[in-house]
Amino acid sequence: MLEIKNLTKRFGDRTIIDNLTMTVKDNEIMAIVGPSGAGKTTLLRCITGLESVNKGEFFWNGNQFDPTNTTQKDTIIGVVFQDYQLFPNLTVLGNITLAPTMVKKEPMADVKKYARELLSRLGLEGKENLYPYQLSGGQKQRVAIVRALAMQPKILCYDEPTSALDPALRDEVAQIILDLKKQEMTQIVVTHDMDFAKNVANEIQQVKQIQ
Amino acid sequence: MIQYIQEILPALLSGTKMTLSIFFWTLICSIPLGALIGLGLIQRFKPLTWLLNFYVWIMRGTPLLLQLIFVFYGLPIIHIVFQRYDAALFAFILNYTAYFGEIFRGGFQSVPKGQFESAKVLRLTYSQTIRKIVIPQVFKIVLPSIGNEVINLVKDSSLVYVIGLGDLLRAGNVATARDVTLLPLILVGIIYLALTAVCTIVLKLIEKRENVWR
Ligand SMILES: Nc1ncnc2c1ncn2[C@@H]1O[C@H](COP(=O)(O)OP(=O)(O)OP(=O)(O)O)[C@@H](O)[C@H]1O
Ligand SMILES: [Mg+2]
């Protein structure tokens, strides 16, 4: 269970998030929705440690943690960026195996085996040795999901997972997210697409524009 | 004529050896140093970037010839004495590091911020990120500009003439002055052409290898 208590985030003297408290229960999908500019991405960036917060505490299963601290032992949060941000100089397999082998010092053979398993689960078998530029948008996104999963995070976060995809692929992403839920992955999905949110989420967190 | 060429060739080749030695050592030292300077130039710590910018400005804003003369003939006045060869290398490395530093700065700046963030959420350290993700991307971006400088360096190396090092140009000039014939200088030109041609080919091969990804 992830708990966020009294989170406040300001840019200069503009308050974007004001004293927000929320809980993401295990094995559930939380959608974060709200109008453009409301601070959805900012909230996600605070959770993923890419922005420092002005105030607030984060707890994983009751233990406080600091998302900006990258040296802790376990990976709590995994992220799939809106524009995926795969590493163009590495193959699909290289993208996936880099962090587990370098950060967690897992043996390459084990990581590769797990990577192949995840790739075939997401319908990417045979793509191991391609470079990101050789993939379609949907495939890139799935590689980004596998790359995040390979670090075995407790929670997987997505920023606007449907925004760069054509409508046919939207349902595919929804299916992937729901499949991951079956495998007990807790997920946070930022989206402005209310239908999509209603399709996948158990819980919807509104983020409102602060005047 | 063949006989004459055979006679002066050993001198020219030994000059070529000196030219190549300046060339290789300058590259081997100033490319990694330039990458470091480039990395320094993108840091947010102002005194550091100010200092590095000053260094780059001096090195790029004054002639390499002046820098050579300054190191070899100037510094001894304040009791810093270099051997000829060391003076040449020192000046060349200092100068080329500045050019490479500026090229690398541009390269580092063109790696999207998202790549750093992506690495950060995967919990790679800064140095892992630089080594595994940033440097390979930067290398590809800067390759053409580095290539230009490499070709320039082949030719610039002839400036060591002025501090009396026996490089290719000097060998040719000595022979021409002694034997009153154009042939040595023409041979010198041909050897420079061969050297730059080899560099161009090697650079093309590297570029081709880098093209497996985009
Ligand atoms: N680094 C920053 N510095 C200053 N202001 C910022 C920064 N990042 C975001 N903002 C501001 O914070 C507000 C919230 O931005 P955010 O990107 O979180 O919105 P969002 O809800 O994700 O919107 P969208 O649906 O358009 O993606 C915006 O007004 C934006 O201008
Ligand atoms: Mg956003």
Side-chain angles (χ1 to χ4, degrees):
Chain A
M1 185 169 73
L2 173 74
E3 291 167 279
I4 301 170
K5 290 186 181 158
N6 307 318
L7 172 64
T8 296
K9 174 68 190 172
R10 284 187 284 268
F11 284 119
D13 52 9
R14 268 189 67 204
T15 302
I16 309 297
I17 300 165
D18 189 19
N19 215 29
L20 174 112
T21 293
M22 65 181 238
T23 302
V24 187
K25 295 201 205 79
D26 286 351
N27 194 11
E28 98 176 359
I29 299 172
M30 147 98 58
I32 297 176
V33 297
S36 181
K40 304 182 295 295
T41 298
T42 304
L43 173 57
L44 199 71
R45 288 174 60 85
C46 290
I47 297 172
T48 55
L50 291 172
E51 295 287 353
S52 57
V53 301
N54 296 90
K55 189 164 80 63
E57 288 161 339
F58 297 84
F59 297 87
W60 170 250
N61 288 342
N63 300 315
Q64 189 165 2
F65 72 99
D66 175 5
T68 61
N69 174 9
T70 52
T71 57
Q72 76 235 347
K73 211 169 126 276
D74 295 317
T75 303
I76 296 178
I77 311 283
V79 189
V80 177
F81 290 96
Q82 187 168 6
D83 48 3
Y84 323 129
Q85 294 295 348
L86 297 177
F87 304 127
N89 57 312
L90 298 176
T91 60
V92 167
L93 207 53
N95 265 276
I96 299 165
T97 57
L98 182 69
T101 52
M102 295 204 80
V103 177
K104 296 174 115 187
K105 313 269 184 243
E106 290 172 1
M108 184 52 112
D110 297 359
V111 178
K112 274 191 176 160
K113 190 161 159 274
Y114 185 48
R116 290 217 161 84
E117 203 180 299
L118 289 170
L119 282 170
S120 68
R121 214 193 283 165
L122 294 199
L124 287 166
E125 54 274 283
K127 305 275 185 247
E128 291 87 347
N129 297 318
L130 297 184
Y131 285 89
Y133 82 94
Q134 296 167 305
L135 303 173
S136 73
Q139 289 168 339
K140 278 184 203 157
Q141 184 178 51
R142 279 178 279 152
V143 171
I145 293 173
V146 172
R147 181 175 68 175
L149 287 175
M151 284 297 276
Q152 297 174 299
K154 310 287 191 274
I155 301 176
L156 188 53
C157 301
Y158 308 77
D159 192 2
E160 305 280 4
T162 58
S163 68
L165 302 177
D166 57 58
L169 284 172
R170 244 175 47 167
D171 300 335
E172 212 171 282
V173 191
Q175 199 49 53
I176 289 169
I177 293 175
L178 290 170
D179 283 347
L180 287 173
K181 177 184 156 65
K182 277 192 209 126
Q183 285 142 30
E184 314 205 321
M185 177 56 70
T186 308
Q187 296 168 90
I188 299 176
V189 183
V190 161
T191 181
H192 61 258
D193 180 342
M194 206 55 203
D195 292 336
F196 182 78
K198 281 182 184 141
N199 272 340
V200 299
N202 313 86
E203 190 93 29
I204 293 184
Q205 170 78 44
Q206 291 274 353
V207 177
K208 288 189 196 68
Q209 186 104 41
I210 294 167
Q211 302 310 324
Chain B
M1 192 172 84
I2 302 287
Q3 201 194 344
Y4 179 66
I5 293 176
Q6 275 172 350
E7 247 167 57
I8 60 166
L9 211 50
L12 292 188
L13 289 182
S14 111
T16 307
K17 240 168 81 185
M18 171 60 74
T19 295
L20 285 178
S21 152
I22 297 279
F23 173 79
F24 279 118
W25 283 113
T26 302
L27 278 192
I28 286 169
C29 298
S30 53
I31 289 182
L33 285 175
L36 274 182
I37 298 287
L39 197 56
L41 283 167
I42 60 161
Q43 301 302 317
R44 258 172 292 177
F45 183 57
K46 278 281 167 276
L48 177 70
T49 53
W50 191 87
L51 196 76
L52 292 178
N53 271 315
F54 182 74
Y55 157 69
V56 170
W57 178 61
I58 297 285
M59 288 297 141
R60 300 204 316 162
T62 61
L64 176 51
L65 191 53
L66 169 64
Q67 293 161 19
L68 262 175
I69 292 171
F70 190 90
V71 170
F72 186 66
Y73 297 112
L75 289 184
I77 297 170
I78 54 166
H79 307 293
I80 303 174
V81 183
F82 283 99
Q83 298 295 307
R84 276 177 218 284
Y85 180 75
D86 298 341
L89 261 191
F90 183 71
F92 269 82
I93 290 171
L94 224 51
N95 180 276
Y96 269 80
T97 296
Y99 278 91
F100 287 139
E102 194 58 31
I103 291 171
F104 274 103
R105 176 233 296 267
F108 282 119
Q109 279 170 340
S110 54
V111 175
K113 199 161 147 261
Q115 292 281 299
F116 287 90
E117 297 191 334
S118 180
K120 190 172 172 213
V121 295
L122 289 167
R123 297 173 46 221
L124 293 162
T125 63
Y126 187 69
S127 89
Q128 288 170 338
T129 307
I130 294 292
R131 270 187 298 132
K132 295 290 174 176
I133 296 158
V134 179
I135 293 275
Q137 294 185 33
V138 167
F139 185 69
K140 186 179 166 107
I141 295 166
V142 300
L143 202 53
S145 321
I146 297 275
N148 283 338
E149 293 303 328
V150 168
I151 304 285
N152 275 340
L153 178 57
V154 173
K155 297 178 286 176
D156 272 358
S157 68
S158 64
L159 291 174
V160 300
Y161 185 101
V162 73
I163 60 171
L165 270 184
D167 76 324
L168 174 56
L169 179 61
R170 172 170 293 266
N173 204 15
V174 166
T176 290
R178 183 189 57 217
D179 307 331
V180 203
T181 153
L182 267 181
L183 205 54
L185 288 185
I186 291 171
L187 280 178
V188 165
I190 291 173
I191 295 176
Y192 275 117
L193 280 175
L195 294 180
T196 49
V198 169
C199 288
T200 309
I201 291 167
V202 169
L203 286 163
K204 281 272 171 297
L205 287 177
I206 299 175
E207 260 177 61
K208 208 165 154 193
R209 206 197 56 189
E210 286 295 302
N211 274 343
V212 298
W213 62 272
R214 273 173 233 157

